[in-house]
């Protein structure tokens, strides 16, 4: 839910604090004219002023078809903050708090990100991340504050009743074998150093 709207001084974006205060939704200003549109998707100083700090070291793009669900992924070492947006299509993006000492441990937040609302979701270190595709296809772009370490990657079970994510899917999702075999919240390895 929306609890606080913070607007940067230069009006380039609106930043919304969610019910998990460290997870932020960014509404970038979109400048439209007869040619199309322009938007700024990242500017280090402006984003840092809004509370999105960290050295983004890796960018990723994935393309997925309708009904695909990817996640919920996290790294037990080298946890990554992510800044996520849909370049095309529509996704339902989810973050689950896995920080053992957090008052919102096990809570989740979900938002639709699409190529019309242009919203981004900032997910800090210590969260599992996943999304499902609501359009025919979707291209997801996300920045990460640490590199991908497959030996440290883990998967939280996408439909664990202890978390209770309400995925907006009409049919069973298309899952990888790894995601189908995710670990329930009660059995996950805790983050180291968070």
């Amino acid at each position: 839910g929306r609890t606080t709207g913070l607007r940067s001084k230069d009006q380039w974006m609106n930043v919304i604090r969610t019910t998990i205060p460290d997870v932020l939704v960014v509404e970038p200003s979109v400048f439209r004219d007869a040619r199309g549109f322009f938007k700024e998707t990242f500017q280090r100083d402006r984003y840092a002023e809004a509370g999105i700090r960290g050295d983004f070291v890796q960018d990723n793009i994935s393309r997925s078809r309708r009904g695909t669900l990817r996640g919920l992924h996290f790294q037990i070492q080298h946890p990554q903050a992510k800044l996520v947006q849909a370049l095309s299509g529509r996704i339902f993006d989810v973050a689950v708090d896995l920080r053992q000492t957090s008052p919102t441990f096990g809570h989740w937040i979900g938002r639709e990100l699409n190529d019309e609302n242009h919203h981004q979701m900032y997910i800090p270190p210590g969260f599992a991340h996943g999304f499902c595709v609501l359009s025919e296809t979707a291209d997801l772009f996300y920045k990460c504050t640490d590199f991908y370490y497959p030996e440290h990657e883990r998967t939280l079970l996408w439909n664990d009743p202890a978390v209770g994510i309400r995925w907006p899917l009409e049919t069973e999702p298309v899952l990888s074998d790894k995601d189908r075999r995710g670990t329930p919240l009660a059995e996950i390895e805790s983050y180291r150093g968070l």
Side-chain angles (χ1 to χ4, degrees), residues 44-127:
R44 185 191 63 209
D45 295 346
R46 262 193 279 278
Y47 277 60
E49 181 183 324
I52 298 172
R53 295 178 182 84
D55 183 18
F56 288 97
V57 298
Q58 181 174 322
D59 292 349
N60 301 312
I61 296 178
S62 70
R63 174 170 291 163
S64 305
R65 63 183 176 91
R66 183 187 296 276
T68 296
L69 192 152
R70 295 182 185 259
L72 299 153
H73 302 146
F74 63 101
Q75 293 185 166
I76 59 168
Q77 291 184 44
H78 303 280
Q80 299 170 310
K82 295 178 179 176
L83 182 63
V84 182
Q85 63 186 305
L87 298 179
S88 68
R90 298 170 50 228
I91 67 162
F92 185 69
D93 202 54
V94 171
V96 179
D97 191 348
L98 297 182
R99 301 168 300 175
Q100 296 281 344
T101 59
S102 170
T104 56
F105 173 77
H107 294 200
W108 66 277
I109 191 82
R111 286 288 184 275
E112 182 173 325
L113 308 178
N114 63 55
D115 58 6
E116 293 180 7
N117 69 21
H118 300 277
H119 293 178
Q120 300 171 312
M121 193 150 79
Y122 171 71
I123 303 164
F127 284 71

Side-chain angles (χ1 to χ4, degrees), residues 1-8 12-29 46-47 49-52 82-84 95 109-113 117-124 127:
R2 295 177 178 217
T3 55
T4 307
L6 304 173
R7 188 168 286 280
S8 62
W12 281 87
M13 63 185 177
N14 187 42
V15 178
I16 298 163
R17 294 199 183 280
T18 67
T19 53
I20 302 177
D22 298 328
V23 177
L24 305 174
V25 174
V26 179
E27 298 175 333
S29 297
R46 262 193 279 278
Y47 277 60
E49 181 183 324
I52 298 172
K82 295 178 179 176
L83 182 63
V84 182
I109 191 82
R111 286 288 184 275
E112 182 173 325
L113 308 178
N117 69 21
H118 300 277
H119 293 178
Q120 300 171 312
M121 193 150 79
Y122 171 71
I123 303 164
F127 284 71

Side-chain angles (χ1 to χ4, degrees), residues 169-181:
L169 292 167
E170 297 174 1
T171 61
E172 280 297 306
V174 179
L175 296 161
S176 69
D177 288 340
K178 174 181 75 174
D179 292 350
R180 190 175 290 107
R181 295 187 313 264

